[in-house]
Amino acid sequence: MTALSTSIQSVLTIVLLIVVGYVLRRQGRFDDQFGKTISDLLMKIALPASIFISVLQRLTLDKLVSLSSGLVYGFGAVILGYLIAFLLVWLLKVRPGRRGTFINMFVNANTIFIGLPLNLALFGDKAVPYFLMYYVVNTVSTWTVGAFIMAWDDPTQKKSEKSSTGFNWKKLLPAPLVGFLVALVFLLLKIPFIHVGWLSFAVNALDYVGSLVTPLSLIYIGIILADAGLKAIRFDRDTIVALIGRFVIAPALIAGLILLGMHAGFNVPGLEAQTLIIQAAAPGLAVLPILATEAHADVEYATNVVTTSTVLFVVVVLILMMLVQGLA
């Protein structure tokens, strides 16, 4: 019952914040520019701050080294996930503007807002180090390949422009990724930023700014739903396949790699295996609609898959918990 209760509570919190954005937009309290303002605030300020401070608060260099096996399984599953997603994009002929969201749904999950509290409720503090390994994998994947694919899928940019201009380095290094890279430099150089007493004001400021990410992302989803109408929530082919990727293929990939590792003689603690599999099946990123907006992509589709995956996760986590019990 713990899994069901935690999942329901997490989903209800998310839905409530989406409803706030939906209602206020329908009432006209948010003007047409407010959504763009939220997008800029999140992408350029709040997300970099959130990622920077989260890495420094939750990770150390020693933890990264000691739990490197989790990184191997995580990155292995991510690479396979991208390959499968790209193949399906080609086979299903997913249209431009949806391809970036479709691929991200296969690979990248909402690990912080849903994954972390659920992991604590299911497995307790002992599983936090294993969660952190998946958090690293998910963060790197989201703000390197994931964000770049979203930018590459911009349907307003012609193929000739893409080929002639080459890489857009600003899109290759989005502000959230820069925040993560700077945090890694602090870890590698062992700069005691969060442990210096007189710098507590800066740490607190970054915490406050970073805490804006989830609520504003969810309010933004509500704004998009209000503009598109509730009819925008649908189960078309691209949505169904993306959900299968998020809830079936992603956890199956990491479970398969863990089983291969165990058969090869590598010791994988049951708690680590359970944590990685559950995290791999977390709902889609709440910031996907923001990324879709930045790339002039299909924002309604991004909103749809995030909303539906979040609601359906209540059922999915119960099924997964029954399947992974044997790994304990």
Side-chain angles (χ1 to χ4, degrees):
M1 291 301 293
T2 303
L4 176 62
S5 175
T6 303
S7 299
I8 290 175
Q9 291 292 330
S10 296
V11 168
L12 286 178
T13 301
I14 289 173
V15 170
L16 182 59
L17 288 171
I18 292 175
V19 168
V20 170
Y22 179 87
V23 171
L24 292 179
R25 175 59 174 157
R26 294 289 289 183
Q27 291 179 346
R29 296 178 184 273
F30 293 156
D31 60 26
D32 294 339
Q33 295 300 315
F34 188 68
K36 181 64 168 62
T37 301
I38 288 180
S39 174
D40 287 342
L41 174 62
L42 288 176
M43 288 298 296
K44 297 175 182 177
I45 299 175
L47 268 168
S50 174
I51 293 171
F52 173 78
I53 201 66
S54 293
V55 170
L56 293 184
Q57 288 177 337
R58 293 184 169 93
L59 290 175
T60 64
L61 188 59
D62 292 338
K63 282 184 179 179
L64 282 173
V65 174
S66 65
L67 298 170
S68 57
S69 63
L71 296 177
V72 172
Y73 294 124
F75 280 117
V78 161
I79 292 170
L80 292 174
Y82 278 120
L83 293 176
I84 293 172
F86 272 107
L87 178 62
L88 286 172
V89 164
W90 177 69
L91 290 174
L92 299 176
K93 295 180 172 58
V94 179
R95 69 172 183 260
R98 284 190 171 191
R99 295 175 298 187
T101 300
F102 183 91
I103 294 169
N104 270 277
M105 278 295 293
F106 267 72
V107 181
N108 301 313
N110 189 348
T111 55
I112 287 296
F113 192 68
I114 292 182
L116 180 56
L118 180 64
N119 206 73
L120 288 171
L122 295 178
F123 308 122
D125 291 335
K126 292 181 180 179
V128 170
Y130 304 127
F131 165 82
L132 292 175
M133 292 304 97
Y134 197 85
Y135 170 75
V136 169
V137 171
N138 195 73
T139 301
V140 172
S141 173
T142 298
W143 299 112
T144 53
V145 181
F148 182 67
I149 288 173
M150 292 293 290
W152 161 81
D153 190 39
D154 188 338
T156 64
Q157 188 176 12
K158 297 178 181 178
K159 291 183 179 179
S160 59
E161 292 175 344
K162 291 181 181 180
S163 60
S164 62
T165 58
F167 283 119
N168 183 329
W169 293 103
K170 289 184 179 180
K171 290 184 177 180
L172 187 60
L173 285 173
L177 175 58
V178 172
F180 181 77
L181 294 176
V182 172
L184 284 184
V185 171
F186 273 60
L187 285 182
L188 291 173
L189 298 180
K190 297 183 178 180
I191 300 174
F193 178 76
I194 62 174
H195 301 297
V196 177
W198 65 271
L199 286 176
S200 60
F201 73 96
V203 175
N204 291 336
L206 289 170
D207 265 330
Y208 290 144
V209 174
S211 65
L212 296 173
V213 172
T214 296
L216 286 184
S217 296
L218 296 172
I219 288 172
Y220 182 79
I221 290 174
I223 294 172
I224 298 301
L225 282 175
D227 289 339
L230 292 177
K231 65 180 183 297
I233 298 179
R234 61 173 67 90
F235 289 93
D236 56 17
R237 185 203 64 178
D238 292 348
T239 298
I240 292 171
V241 177
L243 291 173
I244 291 173
R246 179 93 303 272
F247 292 142
V248 179
I249 296 176
L253 286 174
I254 199 163
L257 290 176
I258 290 172
L259 290 175
L260 284 175
M262 294 172 68
H263 282 299
F266 295 100
N267 180 39
V268 182
L271 191 58
E272 178 179 3
Q274 290 178 324
T275 297
L276 294 178
I277 292 170
I278 292 295
Q279 291 303 316
L285 293 161
V287 295
L288 272 182
I290 301 289
L291 293 173
T293 300
E294 292 284 315
H296 311 101
D298 191 337
V299 182
E300 291 182 15
Y301 175 67
T303 301
N304 185 43
V305 292
V306 171
T307 304
T308 53
S309 68
T310 300
V311 174
L312 291 175
F313 185 62
V314 176
V315 177
V316 171
V317 71
L318 292 176
I319 297 172
L320 279 176
M321 280 303 296
M322 289 187 288
L323 293 176
V324 302
Q325 285 300 319
L327 296 173

